[in-house]
Amino acid sequence: MKYAEEFRDPIAARAVLDKIQQVVDQIGATAEKPVHIMEICGGHTHAIFRYGLDKLTPAGIEFIHGPGCPVCVLPMSRVDECVELAERPEVIFTTFGDAMRVPGTRKSLLQAKAEGADIRMVYSPLDALEIARRNPDREVVFFGLGFETTTPSTALSIQQAAREGLENFTVFCNHITVPPPIKALLDDPHMVLDGFVGPGHVSMVIGIHPYDFIAEDYGKPLVVAGFEPLDLLQSVLMVLEQIRDGRAEIENQYSRVVPDDGNPVSIAAIADVYEERPTFEWRGLGEIDASGLRIRDTYAAFDAEVKFGIGYGADRRIVAEPEGCSCGAVMTGRMKPVQCEQFGKGCTPEMPLGALMVSSEGACAAYYQYGGARAAEPAE
Amino acid sequence: MKYAEEFRDPIAARAVLDKIQQVVDQIGATAEKPVHIMEICGGHTHAIFRYGLDKLTPAGIEFIHGPGCPVCVLPMSRVDECVELAERPEVIFTTFGDAMRVPGTRKSLLQAKAEGADIRMVYSPLDALEIARRNPDREVVFFGLGFETTTPSTALSIQQAAREGLENFTVFCNHITVPPPIKALLDDPHMVLDGFVGPGHVSMVIGIHPYDFIAEDYGKPLVVAGFEPLDLLQSVLMVLEQIRDGRAEIENQYSRVVPDDGNPVSIAAIADVYEERPTFEWRGLGEIDASGLRIRDTYAAFDAEVKFGIGYGADRRIVAEPEGCSCGAVMTGRMKPVQCEQFGKGCTPEMPLGALMVSSEGACAAYYQYGGARAAEPAE
Amino acid sequence: MCLGIPGQIIEITDEARMMAMAEVSGVKREVNVSCIATGPIGDVVGKWALIHVGFAMSEIDEDEAAKTLEALRGLGEAEETLEAMAAGDAALEGRA
Amino acid sequence: MCLGIPGQIIEITDEARMMAMAEVSGVKREVNVSCIATGPIGDVVGKWALIHVGFAMSEIDEDEAAKTLEALRGLGEAEETLEAMAAGDAALEGRA
Amino acid sequence: MRDQFVTLAHGGGGKAMRELIEEVFTSVFEPDLMEDQARLMDDALQEQGARLAFTTDSFVVDPVEFPGGDIGKIAVCGTVNDLAVGGARPLWLSAAFIIEEGTEIALLRRIVASMKAEADKAGVRIVTGDTKVVGRGSADKVFITTAGVGVIPAGRKLEAGLTHAGDVILVNGFLGDHGAAIMAARGDMALSTDLVSDCAGLGHLMEAVLAAAPDTRAARDATRGGVASVLNEIADTAGVSIEVEETDLPLRAEVRGVCEILGLDPLYLANEGTLVLVVPADQADAAIAAMKTLPEGANAKKIGTVGTGQAGRVTMRTLFGGARIVDMLVGEQLPRIC
Amino acid sequence: MRDQFVTLAHGGGGKAMRELIEEVFTSVFEPDLMEDQARLMDDALQEQGARLAFTTDSFVVDPVEFPGGDIGKIAVCGTVNDLAVGGARPLWLSAAFIIEEGTEIALLRRIVASMKAEADKAGVRIVTGDTKVVGRGSADKVFITTAGVGVIPAGRKLEAGLTHAGDVILVNGFLGDHGAAIMAARGDMALSTDLVSDCAGLGHLMEAVLAAAPDTRAARDATRGGVASVLNEIADTAGVSIEVEETDLPLRAEVRGVCEILGLDPLYLANEGTLVLVVPADQADAAIAAMKTLPEGANAKKIGTVGTGQAGRVTMRTLFGGARIVDMLVGEQLPRIC
Ligand code: SF4
Ligand code: SF4
Ligand SMILES: [Mg+2]
Ligand SMILES: [Mg+2]
Ligand SMILES: [Mg+2]
Ligand SMILES: [Mg+2]
Ligand SMILES: [Mg+2]
Ligand SMILES: [Mg+2]
Ligand SMILES: [Mg+2]
Ligand SMILES: [Mg+2]
Ligand SMILES: [Mg+2]
Ligand SMILES: [Mg+2]
């Protein structure tokens, strides 16, 4: 697989790992006094566990798993609204598979489907568009979920629907943006962070400059990283080198995919279709200003919130997070997943209690699935 | 079973049969020179074979099986129209089970159902009404089929739908009337008939006087008969006695159910909802004047022909009967079912070619199912 | 055509829609009673009617039923008499 | 988040809707190429792009990929040099 | 198991599936082995001349729970009966479930309990199984396929082909109860009755019959197509004629009622606990007496005789003294109004 | 058979059903007996110490025909394989069909032909069966449940519990072909590939393995849940740890491609012709060599080893040198985008 396999080469990895060890030693970080690096993106969290990078990297590096899993930070009230939409008889509710198991207060989409709602997993919003074309007598709602990476796809789909004059296609918009929660985390006095590995596919859309404030205002380094294991290791090395050198810059490790200024077509499509919400709720993090997008009035015909009078537009419910859930603490790095009292007991991937156990990108799920879980079990 | 079992008493039957034999002898009828009695009604045909009355009665009686099976006489074009209606995605097509296997030119309703049409068997038009109430977003069409016996049920159902203001219930009206084809048969110069056993349940609705013309104009006796075997035997006896005595009267054997003037509520409902068609096509018999009913303009909202622009109201197709079919000859008594070259070969109850093989009330099906079929098979 | 079966009306279920429960050999089904409810609807309870496609089409007349049965039994008795007479004749013949 | 995978655009399938066929390890899927088709749409054929949820989101820059790999290999070579030097040192030490 | 309804996750091969299988199925059936196959042996099987009997049926009844039983009970009884009517001693069953997404787990538990109870009653064990989950609308709640293995002791031979003229036809009880009960339970025709399915395992009954009437020619489970189809099959296979007496047919009043209303013939109604037996005339009384000692044979009766008429022809002497042919059913019986 | 599509009449127990069964099913399978049970015996079964193996699976694949096979082929292979992996010689199958109204009869004929061909190849006979027809929308075209009976020769013992540290884990070929091919064939994700299901009967392969590696501990058919589930089951049952080498996993490029696109893990993809074997280390080469003599073992490979780590734990050494736990799948694998 071109542009992927080359970046999985274990021989090259040895060299990077040695170099990482060297820089960690230069910094003087140890297991007791580690360097804290946050990989913002759930895709990175997943890759770290998938390839065992947590075990390969020196003990002096502590990964903090960031809030970059759109499924994990989706508030329960929004899941409930999805279920409500999906249960309308006229609605075909289309979604990425990721969202199927996320618990709402009453049920997940998977359960709603089992109970009769017409819910279809798709790979692309284009597939939802096609379902709408083929079912003119039904209302096809697409669950628009994701960060800046995914936002252009729904924006372009809405533009396409508008060009075709489709009257039965809407998007239930839950798109969120990465920089605001980072700022929120950096403003959290409990947060201890030495640097960031930035989400490469977000920057592929928005470029690297939206992170400038991290270096400029907070004096922390950030390296925009690809998703192959060598990408990640190289990015970690670049972060460590900045720390060692006392620099705080926004660097681009993933230059083969990420233009510094992002993708102009995507940026234009987002700007055309979406506008900022004043505030949006993040599961485990609460309300964050200007962190969510809504569909502009010019595209109101494609806005499920408007068409079905649901969600932020209508009477908004704030749903309390489940009791005993420590997702907030884990997401801010104050707690390891295994330290949550619910971990592996009241909260498992089969029956997730908290958001971070839902997606395989969630830190708790990754810990559970790829090793952390067993570590927490009493020895047999 | 009260009012039924008493009329199945084999001891009583012996006496009636003896008396029948006696009258047949008095008339001088023999197997070679039999008395021809037409049981008009398919229900009577069915009962004759079901109870083996054909074998119990003397050889001097020859039963001619009349056109009184509404399924058998349904023209192919109407079945095609049913299929066309049923195949519309918005339509739930409801029908008595009887009509399911009747072949159209392309397929039967059973086949259309297998291929995806939403076709539901009901016991009553009231059940179709209930389906309409429960499926306000679908069009529920009821296949109105049958003689005067059944006509009041659809008339009353349409009146009920009108009272409730149901907007998704229509009847595809194929109701036909008994006297016109009898007249047509009597006018057929090939027809040899000495008397009639009249359909009791038709007279339960319309009374016995609509048959007066048979006695008055054609000089033939008719006895309105019940459906239990003793009813039938007694009616046959009554016909024979009239023949012996040279009388031609309309008598009522079935007085426990049939008032001489019929049922006023039913008659009024029919008159309110339906009007005569100038002509209607009968399978095997061709067009017969004033033999079919259509829904009056006042109830046009409940008329599937109007709502869907189909059938006699629209561009009407005459569909040729299948080749080799002798249904017409059988129905006019010119041929016995077993004499049809298709009988048991190209035409079986599994794969009926002609109308009379479709319903278990059809003369050919009754022959096939209850004994005649095997008689036609080469000895093993 | 026109399968019909005697059933007894056992209770009114929906007066507005003229619906009542009918029973045939222990089997119950809701039927419309418009055709037999000439007076107050409650009067049909207990009556026997000919049931066809979910409608009570005609009230069954008990007297007429009895008369028909009587006529049928009369044939049987007449026959017995004839047989008895025939037997008597035979006896007489035999005696001859 | 944001699973993306490099794929090659192999043919245009629907110019009006900006759709093209992409191939990833022999697996084909129709994708939208608006984001990478800055010039005539036909130009995207043969190009590699990062595919995400059915969209070719970003053209992959071959030179940059090579540079990154070079840097990674550089580390390896540097290490070999270091190792060689260490080995040299050890040899020297051994000799001492 | 915290789930209330089956989701596709329960069919995915992972933990949810394992949990469903363990908590709902194997904890009740308790197979010996946790391999995906049962490993079995029975002494009777190793006797010279013994044979193995093997049969299967899928069960798709709607509604899945009905008066007198449920799909689980039928799935056990049906296969036990198919083994028994061949002269086999039923020993082991497999049970494969196809479950519609959205099915209540409580319903599955009831079905499984009912299978277990019925298996215990029949003296068979459910030793292996399978579950599949299909999307909503791709199945109707639950379908069960059972296969059964039993041993036919040496010397036992029951075959329709052994039927010959002079034999008599017996049944173990009322006809058509299951078919009529299901039709009413389905609700499509809006009929309500107190009828109860005859659903029952007939293994013990068969053993009693074979002990009392050792020359029994053949036995058949009169399920789909009813007694009429079974009689036609026997007559065809053996090249004999069969005559049934309408007055001898054991029919409940309510079954008659359903048939009268819908224009059906009870001879074609399905049964789930009704045997048709062919026995030599001189062993008929013994067979009937033996059946009457068991509840499932309490209404055992002779209903007809085997004759030398046209081969394959089944006739019925009607209660009226007439005769009519009782042919194989064509298609399925449809309720009719005319 | 003049009908082109199955109607409810074909399930009604009458002539239409008999015609369907005779023309489409029994004319191809040719059971010995026209009774509703097979009567069987095999010499091997009467040997002292021999045991009977009995297993069942329902098959519900969508689409029913796919590159590399169809539901009929899977229904035969799956049950043959479940017998074979337990050390049994597969002998007899039952086949029960649940058919949706409206299914093309030509499709049924193709499925039946494919079952017959596969049964012949595997040396098993389809000796008994059943058909049910359900209303449109109450099934998805056709579901098949097969049960299988075989003989486990005296002395043969294959059980996951026999696995112990030092043993090695083998597979007979590429992983995930079936799952990926089906996913593509289903069309929901609009992927197109040249992938072909690995669907194959593995009875002969198992015999070859057992001849070459007589101390083989256990074998499993890695169907739903994939190789990962099978390894977890073995590790759990035997109380051992298992370590798999990612670099040793035989994966086709296209399977990798499907997994990358949809975010799936090939270790959890279903297979229909893939065995996981546990053999003593010193017989591994012999087992691999034996497999390689057969087409269904041409890509046989060692993929891991059994260790003394935490009981029940399966880990994978990643191609990167890291280690990660390979747990049981949770629920089902859903395609994901993030
Ligand atoms: S274990 Fe569950 S509840 Fe606890 S922090 Fe993780 S996801 Fe939240
Ligand atoms: S056998 Fe068939 S074609 Fe001939 S008259 Fe009878 S119904 Fe018509
Ligand atoms: Mg570390
Ligand atoms: Mg006669
Ligand atoms: Mg069977
Ligand atoms: Mg059976
Ligand atoms: Mg299984
Ligand atoms: Mg359903
Ligand atoms: Mg199995
Ligand atoms: Mg299996
Ligand atoms: Mg069967
Ligand atoms: Mg379907």
Side-chain angles (χ1 to χ4, degrees), chain F residues 282-304:
Chain F
D282 60 359
Q283 297 181 5
D285 290 344
I288 292 172
M291 288 195 276
K292 280 182 182 290
T293 63
L294 293 166
E296 55 273 25
N299 300 294
K301 227 164 167 240
K302 175 186 163 192
I303 63 161

Side-chain angles (χ1 to χ4, degrees), chain E residues 113-139:
Chain E
S114 144
M115 292 179 81
K116 170 70 170 151
E118 210 53 39
D120 287 348
K121 214 187 280 178
V124 297
R125 285 195 308 127
I126 296 165
V127 292
T128 189
D130 184 45
T131 61
K132 292 288 178 326
V133 178
V134 296
R136 204 167 173 105
S138 287

